[in-house]
Structure formats: C-alpha cells, structure tokens
C-alpha cells in the first residue's frame, strides 16, 4: 500500500481557519454584549455623567479654557452659564434605540483590550517565534494608545465640537434644538475616531515589519501626511482653525514617534541579521576546524 499524505498537526486548512475565526468573533461579540449589558444597567451614569457631561459648562475642559481666557483677558464662550441648545428625541423609539446603541459602543470601548486579544490569538500562530517575542507587549501598548485617544476625543474634541456647533447661529431667529441621535453621534465619532487615530504607531510598526514603510518614505512624504492629518482633523472637529490645530498637534507628534519606531524596527532587524551572519561564520569556522583536526585512519 502507498503511504498516505497527512497534514501536519500545526497546519490548518482554509475551512479550519474560518472556523477558528468564527469562534474568535463569537467570543469578542459575547464580551461586548456582556459589558454592554452592564452599561445598559448603568443608564444614569452613562447618560447623565458621561454622554451629557460635555453639555454642562462645569465640564473640566470648559473650566480650563475659561481660566485660560480669563488669564489672557479675553471674553470666551467657555465662560457662559450654559450652552444655548436643547436636546430632543422626535421618534417614538428614539430614546430606547439610543440607550441600546450607546450601551453597545460602551461595550466595545471598554472591551477593546479583549477584542484585541482575540485578534492577536488568531494571527499570532502565523508568526515566527521571534516575531511573537518582539510583539509581546502589543496588546498592552495598543490598548493604552486606544484609551489615550478615547480620552483625548472625549475631553478635547467632543467638547470643542459641541461648544462650537451648539453656540453657532446663522440668525437669532433660529434656535438650536438637536436630536438625541445627532448629539450622541458627535460624541461617538469624536471618541472612536481619535481612538483609532492614536493607533498610528502600531500600524507603522507592522507596516515596517512587512517592508511597506521605511523612515525615509515617511520623511519624504511628511508634507503630504501633514495635509492628510489636517483633513482628518477637519472631518472630526468643527470647522474652526483652533480646534483643527488642537487635534492635529497630537497626531503630528504620533507621526514623529512612528518615524522613530520605524527606525528602531529596521535597526533591530539589521542587528539581528548581523548576529545571524556572525553565528553562521562562527559555525562554519568550527566545522572547518573539526575537519582539519580529524585525521584519516
């Protein structure tokens, strides 16, 4: 009988990979649902404290900008008693839908490290042992950057957007009465967009590892990157120059950090290559020495 060809135990078929991916997605979704259910039960805290926090003039960001304006001797809208707009729900299911979707997004944000862990568990078997060791702190660093971006979006971008758009009027004849979904969307977009933008160093790290990005490329296209950053800042902030600059500054800092990370990755790879070459030369020299020392009988 002929020998049967068997698949090595560490290799998986395409369908096996799909099945594995399905279970990672199920566990990630389950984590989001569980955390979202907890957020659903914490309705008063989620809405009154977090969601409607930037609507109140005692919000930390407004107090800080008011103090700065007062110190410089300027009149500022950040020093007003309250924002001149109201929030309404014009649909029968508007408040319930907002409650459901806000809880789900809260589940995603809080559960982001676990979702990232499931993603890492899926892709890590395809990496070499050395690559897994070099990426050991991936989940911790990526989660830290994401939460840093979320905090920046919530305490900087969201209040600037709400203050600008909430006080903007084309005429005194028009009053601002915003829909609940529109208000929540402004906060959600600011928070999620900044959380994703702050993952730039992680993205550059992996693009450098696969050879798609180098520090020279990033330096060469720095001006183009600046334009892209300003465009992204204009998308997630109100259309005033001050807000765009405030958002653009940390992203540009992250871009510079990404250049440094790209340099470090290439430097470490070159060092590893030299070390491997030296080891190969040493092994070859030892083998040749052994051959010379062996005498024929």
């Amino acid at each position: 009988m002929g020998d049967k060809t068997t698949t090595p135990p560490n290799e998986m078929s395409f369908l096996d990979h799909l099945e594995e991916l399905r279970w990672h997605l199920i566990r990630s979704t389950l984590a989001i649902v569980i955390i979202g259910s907890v957020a659903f039960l914490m309705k008063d805290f989620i809405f009154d404290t977090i969601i409607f926090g930037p609507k109140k003039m005692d919000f930390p960001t407004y107090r800080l900008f008011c103090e700065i304006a007062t110190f410089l001797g300027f009149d500022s809208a950040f020093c007003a008693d309250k924002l001149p707009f109201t929030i309404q729900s014009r649909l029968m299911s508007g408040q319930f839908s907002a409650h459901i979707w806000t809880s789900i997004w809260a589940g995603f944000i809080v559960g982001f490290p676990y979702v990232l862990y499931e993603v890492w568990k899926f892709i890590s078997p395809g990496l070499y042992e050395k690559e897994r060791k070099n990426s050991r702190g991936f989940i911790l660093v990526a989660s830290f950057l994401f939460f840093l971006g979320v905090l920046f979006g919530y305490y900087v971008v969201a209040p600037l957007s709400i203050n600008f758009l909430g006080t903007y009027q084309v005429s005194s004849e028009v009053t601002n009465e915003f829909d609940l979904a529109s208000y929540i969307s402004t906060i959600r977009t600011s928070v999620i967009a900044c959380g994703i933008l702050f993952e730039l160093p992680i993205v550059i790290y992996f693009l450098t590892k696969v050879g798609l990005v180098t520090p020279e490329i990033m330096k060469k296209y720095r001006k183009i990157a600046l334009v892209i950053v300003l465009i992204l800042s204009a998308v997630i902030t109100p259309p005033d120059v001050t807000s765009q600059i405030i958002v653009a500054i940390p992203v540009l800092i992250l871009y510079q950090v990404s250049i440094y990370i790209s340099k470090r990755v290439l430097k470490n790879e070159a060092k590893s290559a030299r070390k491997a070459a030296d080891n190969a030369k040493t092994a070859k020299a030892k083998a040749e020495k052994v051959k010379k020392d062996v005498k024929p009988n």
Side-chain angles (χ1 to χ4, degrees):
M1 293 178 64
D3 294 335
K4 293 183 178 180
T5 303
T6 58
T7 303
N10 60 338
E11 292 186 9
M12 300 172 63
S13 66
F14 178 71
L15 292 179
D16 290 334
H17 280 293
L18 286 181
E19 178 68 13
E20 188 73 14
L21 176 62
R22 185 173 75 91
W23 280 107
H24 285 300
L25 292 175
I26 289 174
R27 286 192 290 268
S28 299
T29 303
L30 186 61
I32 292 173
V33 170
I34 292 174
I35 299 173
S37 299
V38 175
F40 186 86
L41 298 175
M42 300 172 63
K43 179 180 67 173
D44 293 341
F45 174 75
I46 294 295
F47 281 90
D48 293 340
T49 303
I50 296 180
I51 299 298
F52 295 125
K55 184 183 180 297
K56 303 170 185 176
M57 293 308 299
D58 61 350
F59 194 68
T61 305
Y62 299 145
R63 293 203 307 265
L64 175 63
F65 279 96
C66 178
E67 290 175 2
I68 293 174
T70 302
F71 177 78
L72 297 176
F74 298 138
D75 292 330
S76 174
F78 295 108
C79 298
D81 294 329
K82 65 177 183 178
L83 290 171
F85 67 85
T86 57
I87 299 175
Q88 298 182 358
S89 178
R90 294 183 174 86
L91 300 175
M92 285 289 293
S93 61
Q95 295 195 52
F96 182 72
S97 296
H99 191 186
I100 292 290
W101 282 107
T102 300
S103 300
I104 292 174
W105 280 108
F108 171 76
I109 293 173
V110 176
F112 180 80
Y114 181 78
V115 174
L116 206 60
Y117 169 73
E118 289 293 339
V119 173
W120 179 247
K121 281 184 64 178
F122 178 72
I123 65 176
S124 60
L127 302 177
Y128 293 109
E129 183 64 26
K130 181 182 176 182
E131 292 175 332
R132 285 197 291 268
K133 288 182 179 179
N134 292 336
S135 306
R136 191 169 293 169
F138 163 71
I139 297 175
L140 180 63
V141 175
S143 299
F144 171 76
L145 290 174
F146 177 78
F147 287 128
L148 190 64
V150 166
L151 291 175
F152 180 79
Y154 180 72
Y155 282 103
V156 178
V157 179
L160 288 177
S161 301
I162 291 171
N163 186 274
F164 176 83
L165 297 174
T167 57
Y168 187 84
Q169 284 184 298
V170 293
S171 171
S172 58
E173 297 295 324
V174 183
T175 58
N176 287 327
E177 298 177 350
F178 302 131
D179 189 72
L180 176 63
S182 176
Y183 174 83
I184 294 177
S185 176
T186 301
I187 296 179
R188 182 180 65 242
T189 301
S190 301
V191 168
I192 299 296
C194 288
I196 294 173
L197 280 176
F198 273 56
E199 295 292 338
L200 179 62
I202 300 294
V203 174
I204 295 299
Y205 173 82
F206 283 104
L207 290 180
T208 304
K209 292 289 288 183
V210 299
L212 294 178
V213 171
T214 64
E216 290 72 23
I217 291 177
M218 295 185 70
K219 290 178 181 178
K220 180 180 179 181
Y221 295 102
R222 195 196 307 267
K223 293 181 180 179
I224 297 177
L226 174 60
V227 174
I228 294 174
V229 167
L230 291 176
I231 292 174
L232 290 174
S233 301
V235 170
I236 65 175
T237 59
D240 66 292
V241 178
T242 304
S243 300
Q244 293 174 15
I245 292 175
I246 290 174
V247 174
I249 288 174
V251 179
L252 290 176
I253 292 174
L254 287 172
Y255 189 83
Q256 290 299 125
V257 172
S258 299
I259 293 177
Y260 172 76
I261 291 174
S262 184
K263 285 182 180 179
R264 291 293 302 175
V265 169
L266 294 181
K267 185 178 180 180
N268 290 338
E269 289 184 348
K271 184 178 179 180
S272 299
R274 287 195 301 269
K275 186 176 180 180
D278 291 340
N279 291 338
K281 288 180 181 179
T282 302
K284 184 178 180 181
K286 287 181 179 179
E288 291 177 353
K289 184 178 180 181
V290 170
K291 286 183 180 179
K292 291 180 181 179
D293 292 340
V294 174
K295 295 181 180 180
N297 296 327

